[in-house]
Amino acid sequence: MTRRDIEQAPLATEESGKEIPFDRFLKVLLDFSLLSHEKFLKKFVDLFNEIDGNCDGMLDEEEMVQLINRLKIVDSDEQIDVILSKADPNNNKIITFSDCVQVFTETEVLIEGEEDGTGTTFTMNVIEKLNNIE
């Protein structure tokens, strides 16, 4: 269901005597939330799948470094190590898609002012930055 469908759906009123069952309302709400989340992650999912060589939904440490480098968010090996330790705190050498999403939505990157046209510097999370790249 799209936002337009939701906006055009008739609402329950006291005059009509009609009510929307809670389970239907909840399903519409959750479906809309899921679609928004999938749209937000689309570019990241595509990049992750491209790097995930064996398509098992997990990255080894080498693939994770490749992902970090493709995102162009670090300037040094020390910064890569920090991200790796956040994504794999138990040092299992396996990083799931969910681990990546969590780390990259929590990791802020500095954006120089030219990108927003104002000349100001600001931060955004890595996945937001990826979504803003054409």
Side-chain angles (χ1 to χ4, degrees):
M1 181 173 266
T2 66
R3 176 174 280 174
R4 186 173 184 188
D5 294 336
I6 292 170
E7 289 171 353
Q8 293 178 347
L11 298 175
T13 63
E14 288 183 20
E15 295 98 34
S16 71
K18 296 180 181 178
E19 295 181 4
I20 300 171
F22 179 74
D23 59 339
R24 181 171 177 229
F25 169 76
L26 186 59
K27 182 182 181 334
V28 169
L29 186 64
L30 293 175
D31 286 348
F32 184 74
S33 178
L34 179 61
L35 290 173
S36 297
H37 194 68
E38 287 175 347
K39 183 179 178 183
F40 176 71
L41 290 175
K42 172 114 178 62
K43 286 184 180 181
F44 184 73
V45 168
D46 292 344
L47 181 59
F48 183 94
N49 288 336
E50 184 181 319
I51 292 172
D52 181 15
N54 60 0
C55 300
D56 64 354
M58 295 181 278
L59 302 179
D60 60 29
E61 201 167 277
E62 182 180 314
E63 290 170 325
M64 183 65 172
V65 170
Q66 185 181 356
L67 177 63
I68 293 167
N69 287 330
R70 289 279 302 273
L71 290 168
K72 299 178 183 174
I73 57 172
V74 298
D75 297 324
S76 68
D77 290 340
E78 291 80 24
Q79 292 174 324
I80 290 174
D81 290 340
V82 168
I83 293 173
L84 284 172
S85 67
K86 287 180 182 179
D88 186 18
N90 297 324
N91 203 24
N92 296 326
K93 309 287 188 211
I94 298 292
I95 299 141
T96 66
F97 176 79
S98 296
D99 293 334
C100 288
V101 169
Q102 181 177 354
V103 166
F104 291 132
T105 54
E106 293 173 354
T107 302
E108 295 281 321
V109 291
L110 191 63
I111 306 296
E112 295 301 324
E114 296 304 314
E115 289 192 28
D116 72 347
T118 65
T120 58
T121 301
F122 58 97
T123 62
M124 67 173 56
N125 75 48
V126 174
I127 294 178
E128 288 173 326
K129 178 181 184 242
L130 181 62
N131 285 332
N132 289 317
I133 296 172
E134 295 300 322

